[in-house]
Coordinates of all heavy atoms in Angstrom, one line a residue:
D102 N 9.6 -11.4 -25.6 CA 10.6 -10.4 -25.8 C 10.7 -9.5 -24.5 O 10.9 -8.3 -24.5 CB 10.3 -9.5 -27.0 CG 11.6 -8.9 -27.5 OD1 12.7 -9.5 -27.4 OD2 11.5 -7.7 -28.1
W103 N 10.6 -10.2 -23.4 CA 10.7 -9.5 -22.1 C 11.3 -10.5 -21.1 O 10.6 -11.4 -20.6 CB 9.3 -9.1 -21.6 CG 9.3 -8.0 -20.5 CD1 10.2 -7.9 -19.5 CD2 8.3 -7.0 -20.3 NE1 9.8 -6.9 -18.7 CE2 8.7 -6.3 -19.2 CE3 7.2 -6.6 -21.0 CZ2 8.0 -5.2 -18.7 CZ3 6.5 -5.5 -20.6 CH2 6.9 -4.8 -19.4
P104 N 12.6 -10.4 -20.8 CA 13.5 -9.4 -21.2 C 13.8 -9.4 -22.7 O 13.5 -10.4 -23.4 CB 14.8 -9.8 -20.5 CG 14.4 -10.6 -19.3 CD 13.2 -11.3 -19.8
A105 N 14.2 -8.2 -23.2 CA 14.5 -8.1 -24.7 C 15.4 -9.2 -25.2 O 16.4 -9.4 -24.6 CB 15.1 -6.7 -24.9
G106 N 14.9 -9.9 -26.2 CA 15.7 -10.9 -26.8 C 15.6 -12.3 -26.1 O 16.2 -13.2 -26.6
G107 N 14.9 -12.3 -25.0 CA 14.8 -13.6 -24.2 C 13.7 -14.5 -24.7 O 12.9 -14.2 -25.6
E108 N 13.7 -15.7 -24.1 CA 12.7 -16.7 -24.5 C 11.3 -16.3 -23.9 O 11.3 -15.6 -22.8 CB 13.1 -18.0 -24.0 CG 14.3 -18.6 -24.6 CD 14.7 -20.0 -24.1 OE1 13.9 -20.5 -23.2 OE2 15.6 -20.6 -24.6
S109 N 10.3 -16.7 -24.5 CA 8.9 -16.5 -23.9 C 8.8 -17.3 -22.6 O 9.3 -18.3 -22.5 CB 7.9 -16.9 -24.9 OG 7.9 -16.1 -26.1
W110 N 8.0 -16.7 -21.7 CA 7.7 -17.4 -20.5 C 6.3 -17.0 -20.0 O 5.7 -16.0 -20.5 CB 8.7 -17.0 -19.4 CG 8.9 -15.5 -19.1 CD1 9.6 -14.6 -19.9 CD2 8.3 -14.8 -18.0 NE1 9.5 -13.4 -19.3 CE2 8.7 -13.4 -18.1 CE3 7.6 -15.2 -16.9 CZ2 8.4 -12.5 -17.2 CZ3 7.2 -14.2 -16.0 CH2 7.6 -12.8 -16.1
Y111 N 5.8 -17.8 -19.1 CA 4.4 -17.6 -18.6 C 4.4 -17.2 -17.1 O 5.1 -17.8 -16.3 CB 3.6 -18.8 -18.8 CG 3.3 -19.2 -20.2 CD1 4.2 -19.9 -20.9 CD2 2.1 -18.8 -20.8 CE1 3.9 -20.3 -22.3 CE2 1.8 -19.1 -22.1 CZ 2.8 -19.8 -22.8 OH 2.5 -20.2 -24.2
H112 N 3.6 -16.2 -16.8 CA 3.4 -15.8 -15.4 C 2.0 -16.3 -15.0 O 1.0 -15.9 -15.6 CB 3.5 -14.3 -15.2 CG 3.4 -13.9 -13.8 ND1 2.2 -13.8 -13.1 CD2 4.3 -13.5 -12.9 CE1 2.4 -13.4 -11.8 NE2 3.7 -13.3 -11.7
V113 N 2.0 -17.3 -14.1 CA 0.7 -18.0 -13.7 C 0.5 -17.9 -12.2 O 1.5 -17.6 -11.5 CB 0.7 -19.4 -14.3 CG1 0.7 -19.4 -15.8 CG2 1.8 -20.2 -13.7
H114 N -0.7 -18.3 -11.8 CA -1.0 -18.3 -10.4 C -1.0 -19.7 -9.8 O -1.2 -20.7 -10.5 CB -2.5 -17.7 -10.2 CG -2.7 -16.4 -10.9 ND1 -2.2 -15.2 -10.4 CD2 -3.3 -16.1 -12.1 CE1 -2.6 -14.3 -11.2 NE2 -3.2 -14.8 -12.2
G115 N -0.7 -19.7 -8.5 CA -0.7 -21.0 -7.8 C 0.6 -21.6 -7.5 O 1.7 -21.0 -7.8
D116 N 0.6 -22.8 -7.0 CA 1.9 -23.5 -6.6 C 2.8 -23.8 -7.7 O 2.3 -24.2 -8.8 CB 1.5 -24.7 -5.8 CG 0.9 -24.5 -4.4 OD1 1.1 -23.3 -3.9 OD2 0.3 -25.4 -3.8
H117 N 4.0 -23.7 -7.5 CA 5.1 -24.2 -8.4 C 5.9 -25.3 -7.6 O 6.3 -25.0 -6.5 CB 6.0 -23.1 -8.8 CG 5.4 -22.1 -9.8 ND1 4.4 -21.3 -9.4 CD2 5.7 -21.8 -11.0 CE1 4.0 -20.5 -10.4 NE2 4.8 -20.8 -11.4
G118 N 5.9 -26.5 -8.1 CA 6.6 -27.5 -7.3 C 5.6 -28.1 -6.3 O 4.5 -27.6 -6.1
P119 N 6.0 -29.2 -5.7 CA 5.1 -29.9 -4.7 C 4.9 -29.0 -3.5 O 5.8 -28.3 -3.0 CB 5.9 -31.1 -4.4 CG 7.3 -30.8 -4.7 CD 7.3 -29.9 -5.8
P120 N 3.7 -28.9 -3.0 CA 3.4 -28.1 -1.8 C 4.0 -28.7 -0.5 O 4.2 -29.9 -0.5 CB 1.9 -28.0 -1.7 CG 1.5 -29.3 -2.4 CD 2.5 -29.6 -3.4
G121 N 4.4 -27.8 0.4 CA 4.8 -28.3 1.7 C 6.3 -28.7 1.7 O 7.0 -28.5 0.7
G122 N 6.8 -29.2 2.8 CA 8.2 -29.6 2.9 C 9.0 -28.5 3.6 O 8.7 -27.4 3.5
A123 N 10.1 -29.0 4.2 CA 10.9 -28.0 4.9 C 11.8 -27.1 4.0 O 12.2 -26.0 4.3 CB 11.8 -28.8 5.9
I124 N 12.0 -27.6 2.8 CA 12.9 -26.9 1.8 C 12.0 -26.3 0.7 O 11.2 -27.0 0.1 CB 13.9 -27.8 1.2 CG1 14.8 -28.4 2.3 CG2 14.8 -27.1 0.2 CD1 15.8 -29.5 1.8
A125 N 12.1 -25.0 0.5 CA 11.3 -24.4 -0.5 C 11.7 -24.9 -1.9 O 12.9 -25.0 -2.2 CB 11.5 -22.9 -0.5
F126 N 10.7 -25.2 -2.7 CA 11.0 -25.8 -4.0 C 11.8 -24.9 -4.9 O 12.7 -25.3 -5.6 CB 9.7 -26.2 -4.7 CG 9.9 -26.8 -6.1 CD1 10.2 -28.1 -6.2 CD2 9.7 -26.1 -7.2 CE1 10.4 -28.7 -7.4 CE2 9.9 -26.6 -8.5 CZ 10.2 -28.0 -8.6
H127 N 11.5 -23.6 -4.8 CA 12.3 -22.6 -5.7 C 13.7 -22.6 -5.4 O 14.6 -22.3 -6.2 CB 11.7 -21.2 -5.6 CG 12.0 -20.5 -4.4 ND1 11.3 -20.5 -3.2 CD2 13.0 -19.5 -4.2 CE1 11.9 -19.7 -2.3 NE2 12.9 -19.1 -2.9
Q128 N 14.1 -23.0 -4.1 CA 15.5 -23.0 -3.8 C 16.2 -24.2 -4.5 O 17.3 -24.0 -5.1 CB 15.7 -23.2 -2.3 CG 15.2 -22.1 -1.4 CD 16.2 -20.9 -1.3 OE1 17.3 -21.0 -1.9 NE2 15.8 -19.9 -0.6
L129 N 15.5 -25.3 -4.6 CA 16.1 -26.5 -5.3 C 16.1 -26.2 -6.8 O 17.1 -26.6 -7.5 CB 15.3 -27.7 -5.0 CG 15.4 -28.3 -3.6 CD1 14.5 -29.5 -3.4 CD2 16.8 -28.6 -3.2
W130 N 15.0 -25.6 -7.3 CA 15.0 -25.3 -8.7 C 16.1 -24.3 -9.1 O 16.8 -24.5 -10.1 CB 13.6 -24.6 -9.0 CG 13.5 -24.2 -10.5 CD1 13.1 -25.0 -11.5 CD2 13.9 -23.0 -11.1 NE1 13.1 -24.3 -12.7 CE2 13.6 -23.0 -12.4 CE3 14.4 -21.8 -10.5 CZ2 13.9 -22.0 -13.3 CZ3 14.6 -20.7 -11.4 CH2 14.3 -20.8 -12.8
A131 N 16.4 -23.3 -8.3 CA 17.4 -22.3 -8.6 C 18.8 -23.0 -8.7 O 19.6 -22.7 -9.5 CB 17.4 -21.2 -7.6
R132 N 19.0 -23.9 -7.8 CA 20.3 -24.7 -7.8 C 20.4 -25.5 -9.1 O 21.4 -25.4 -9.8 CB 20.3 -25.6 -6.6 CG 21.6 -26.5 -6.6 CD 21.7 -27.3 -5.3 NE 23.0 -28.0 -5.3 CZ 23.4 -28.7 -4.3 NH1 22.7 -28.7 -3.2 NH2 24.5 -29.3 -4.3
A133 N 19.3 -26.2 -9.4 CA 19.4 -27.0 -10.6 C 19.5 -26.1 -11.9 O 20.1 -26.5 -12.9 CB 18.2 -27.9 -10.7
R134 N 18.8 -25.0 -11.9 CA 18.8 -24.1 -13.0 C 20.2 -23.6 -13.3 O 20.6 -23.5 -14.5 CB 17.8 -23.0 -12.8 CG 17.7 -22.0 -13.9 CD 16.9 -22.6 -15.1 NE 16.5 -21.6 -16.1 CZ 15.9 -21.9 -17.2 NH1 15.6 -23.2 -17.5 NH2 15.5 -20.9 -18.0
R135 N 20.9 -23.2 -12.2 CA 22.3 -22.7 -12.4 C 23.2 -23.8 -13.1 O 24.2 -23.5 -13.8 CB 22.9 -22.2 -11.1 CG 22.3 -20.9 -10.7 CD 23.2 -20.2 -9.7 NE 22.8 -18.9 -9.3 CZ 23.0 -17.8 -10.1 NH1 23.7 -17.9 -11.2 NH2 22.5 -16.6 -9.7
E136 N 22.9 -25.0 -12.8 CA 23.7 -26.1 -13.4 C 23.1 -26.6 -14.7 O 23.5 -27.7 -15.2 CB 23.7 -27.3 -12.3 CG 24.4 -26.9 -11.0 CD 24.2 -28.0 -10.0 OE1 23.4 -28.9 -10.2 OE2 24.8 -27.8 -8.9
R137 N 22.1 -25.8 -15.2 CA 21.4 -26.2 -16.5 C 20.7 -27.5 -16.4 O 20.7 -28.3 -17.4 CB 22.4 -26.1 -17.6 CG 23.1 -24.8 -17.8 CD 24.0 -24.8 -19.0 NE 24.7 -23.5 -19.1 CZ 24.2 -22.4 -19.7 NH1 23.0 -22.4 -20.2 NH2 24.9 -21.3 -19.8
R138 N 20.2 -27.8 -15.3 CA 19.5 -29.1 -15.1 C 18.0 -28.9 -14.7 O 17.4 -29.8 -14.1 CB 20.2 -30.0 -14.0 CG 21.7 -30.2 -14.4 CD 22.4 -30.9 -13.3 NE 22.1 -32.4 -13.2 CZ 22.7 -33.2 -12.4 NH1 23.7 -32.8 -11.6 NH2 22.4 -34.5 -12.4
A139 N 17.5 -27.8 -15.0 CA 16.1 -27.5 -14.8 C 15.6 -26.6 -15.9 O 16.3 -25.8 -16.5 CB 15.9 -26.7 -13.5
E140 N 14.3 -26.8 -16.3 CA 13.7 -26.1 -17.3 C 13.1 -24.8 -16.8 O 13.2 -24.5 -15.6 CB 12.6 -26.9 -18.0 CG 13.2 -28.2 -18.7 CD 12.1 -29.1 -19.3 OE1 11.5 -28.6 -20.3 OE2 11.9 -30.2 -18.9
A141 N 12.3 -24.0 -17.6 CA 11.8 -22.8 -17.2 C 10.9 -22.9 -16.0 O 10.2 -24.0 -15.8 CB 11.0 -22.1 -18.4
W142 N 10.8 -21.9 -15.1 CA 10.1 -22.0 -13.9 C 8.6 -22.3 -14.1 O 8.1 -23.2 -13.3 CB 10.3 -20.7 -13.1 CG 9.5 -20.5 -11.9 CD1 8.4 -19.7 -11.6 CD2 9.7 -21.3 -10.6 NE1 8.0 -19.8 -10.4 CE2 8.7 -20.8 -9.7 CE3 10.5 -22.3 -10.2 CZ2 8.6 -21.3 -8.4 CZ3 10.4 -22.8 -8.9 CH2 9.5 -22.3 -8.1
H143 N 8.0 -21.8 -15.0 CA 6.5 -22.0 -15.2 C 6.2 -23.4 -15.5 O 5.0 -23.9 -15.3 CB 5.9 -21.1 -16.2 CG 6.4 -21.3 -17.6 ND1 7.4 -20.7 -18.2 CD2 5.9 -22.2 -18.6 CE1 7.6 -21.2 -19.5 NE2 6.6 -22.1 -19.7
L144 N 7.1 -24.2 -16.0 CA 6.9 -25.6 -16.4 C 6.8 -26.5 -15.1 O 6.5 -27.7 -15.3 CB 8.0 -26.1 -17.3 CG 8.0 -25.4 -18.7 CD1 9.2 -25.9 -19.5 CD2 6.7 -25.7 -19.4
Y145 N 7.0 -25.9 -14.0 CA 6.9 -26.7 -12.7 C 5.6 -26.3 -12.0 O 5.5 -26.6 -10.8 CB 8.1 -26.5 -11.8 CG 9.3 -27.0 -12.5 CD1 10.1 -26.2 -13.4 CD2 9.7 -28.4 -12.4 CE1 11.2 -26.7 -14.0 CE2 10.9 -28.9 -13.0 CZ 11.6 -28.0 -13.9 OH 12.7 -28.5 -14.5
A146 N 4.7 -25.7 -12.7 CA 3.3 -25.4 -12.1 C 2.3 -25.9 -13.0 O 2.4 -25.9 -14.3 CB 3.2 -23.8 -12.0
A147 N 1.2 -26.5 -12.5 CA 0.1 -27.0 -13.3 C -0.4 -25.9 -14.2 O -0.7 -26.2 -15.4 CB -1.0 -27.6 -12.4
A148 N -0.6 -24.7 -13.6 CA -1.1 -23.6 -14.5 C -0.2 -23.3 -15.6 O -0.7 -23.0 -16.7 CB -1.4 -22.4 -13.6
G149 N 1.1 -23.3 -15.4 CA 2.0 -23.0 -16.4 C 2.0 -24.0 -17.6 O 2.1 -23.7 -18.8
V150 N 1.9 -25.3 -17.2 CA 1.8 -26.4 -18.2 C 0.5 -26.3 -19.0 O 0.5 -26.4 -20.3 CB 1.9 -27.8 -17.6 CG1 1.7 -28.9 -18.6 CG2 3.3 -27.9 -16.9
L151 N -0.6 -26.0 -18.4 CA -1.9 -25.9 -19.1 C -1.8 -24.6 -19.9 O -2.4 -24.6 -21.0 CB -3.0 -25.8 -18.0 CG -3.2 -27.1 -17.2 CD1 -4.4 -26.9 -16.3 CD2 -3.5 -28.3 -18.1
A152 N -1.2 -23.5 -19.4 CA -1.2 -22.3 -20.2 C -0.4 -22.5 -21.5 O -0.9 -22.1 -22.6 CB -0.5 -21.2 -19.4
G153 N 0.7 -23.2 -21.4 CA 1.5 -23.4 -22.6 C 0.8 -24.3 -23.6 O 1.0 -24.2 -24.8
A154 N -0.1 -25.2 -23.1 CA -0.8 -26.2 -24.0 C -2.1 -25.7 -24.5 O -2.8 -26.3 -25.2 CB -1.0 -27.5 -23.2
G155 N -2.5 -24.5 -24.0 CA -3.8 -23.9 -24.4 C -5.0 -24.7 -23.8 O -6.0 -24.8 -24.5
R156 N -4.9 -25.2 -22.6 CA -5.9 -26.0 -22.0 C -6.4 -25.4 -20.7 O -5.7 -24.6 -20.1 CB -5.5 -27.4 -21.8 CG -5.2 -28.1 -23.2 CD -4.7 -29.5 -23.1 NE -4.6 -30.1 -24.4 CZ -5.5 -30.8 -25.0 NH1 -6.7 -30.9 -24.4 NH2 -5.4 -31.2 -26.2
F157 N -7.6 -25.8 -20.3 CA -8.1 -25.2 -19.0 C -9.1 -26.1 -18.4 O -9.9 -26.8 -19.1 CB -8.7 -23.8 -19.2 CG -9.2 -23.2 -18.0 CD1 -8.3 -22.6 -17.1 CD2 -10.5 -23.3 -17.6 CE1 -8.8 -22.0 -15.9 CE2 -11.0 -22.7 -16.4 CZ -10.1 -22.1 -15.6
V158 N -9.2 -26.1 -17.1 CA -10.2 -26.8 -16.3 C -10.2 -26.0 -15.0 O -9.2 -25.5 -14.5 CB -10.0 -28.3 -16.1 CG1 -8.8 -28.5 -15.2 CG2 -11.2 -29.0 -15.6
H159 N -11.4 -25.9 -14.3 CA -11.4 -25.3 -13.0 C -10.6 -26.2 -12.0 O -10.6 -27.4 -12.1 CB -12.8 -25.0 -12.5 CG -13.4 -23.8 -13.1 ND1 -14.1 -23.8 -14.3 CD2 -13.5 -22.5 -12.7 CE1 -14.5 -22.6 -14.6 NE2 -14.2 -21.8 -13.6
P160 N -10.0 -25.6 -11.0 CA -9.3 -26.4 -10.0 C -10.2 -27.4 -9.4 O -11.4 -27.2 -9.1 CB -8.9 -25.3 -8.9 CG -8.7 -24.1 -9.7 CD -9.8 -24.1 -10.8
Q161 N -9.6 -28.6 -9.2 CA -10.4 -29.8 -8.8 C -9.5 -30.9 -8.2 O -8.3 -30.8 -8.4 CB -11.2 -30.4 -9.9 CG -10.4 -30.8 -11.1 CD -11.3 -31.1 -12.3 OE1 -11.4 -32.3 -12.7 NE2 -11.9 -30.1 -12.9
G162 N -10.1 -31.8 -7.6 CA -9.3 -33.0 -7.1 C -8.9 -32.8 -5.6 O -9.3 -31.8 -4.9
K163 N -8.2 -33.8 -5.1 CA -7.8 -33.8 -3.7 C -6.7 -32.7 -3.4 O -5.9 -32.4 -4.3 CB -7.3 -35.2 -3.3 CG -8.3 -36.3 -3.4 CD -7.7 -37.6 -3.0 CE -8.7 -38.7 -3.1 NZ -8.1 -40.0 -2.7
P164 N -6.8 -32.1 -2.2 CA -5.7 -31.1 -1.9 C -4.3 -31.7 -2.1 O -4.1 -32.9 -1.7 CB -6.0 -30.8 -0.4 CG -7.5 -31.1 -0.2 CD -7.7 -32.3 -1.1
G165 N -3.5 -30.9 -2.7 CA -2.1 -31.4 -2.9 C -1.9 -32.0 -4.3 O -0.7 -32.1 -4.7
T166 N -2.9 -32.4 -5.0 CA -2.8 -32.9 -6.3 C -2.6 -31.7 -7.3 O -3.1 -30.6 -7.0 CB -3.9 -33.8 -6.7 OG1 -5.2 -33.1 -6.6 CG2 -4.0 -35.0 -5.8

Side-chain angles (χ1 to χ4, degrees):
D102 206 28
W103 196 325
E108 295 182 357
S109 297
W110 57 281
Y111 292 86
H112 185 282
V113 294
H114 307 283
D116 290 342
H117 291 62
I124 302 174
F126 181 79
H127 78 274
Q128 296 277 0
L129 294 180
W130 178 89
R132 176 177 186 171
R134 183 70 167 177
R135 284 201 175 278
E136 298 171 354
R137 301 183 184 277
R138 301 174 76 176
E140 299 180 62
W142 174 247
H143 69 267
L144 294 175
Y145 297 88
V150 172
L151 296 179
R156 296 179 175 269
F157 182 80
V158 68
H159 279 86
Q161 57 190 253
K163 296 180 180 180
T166 57

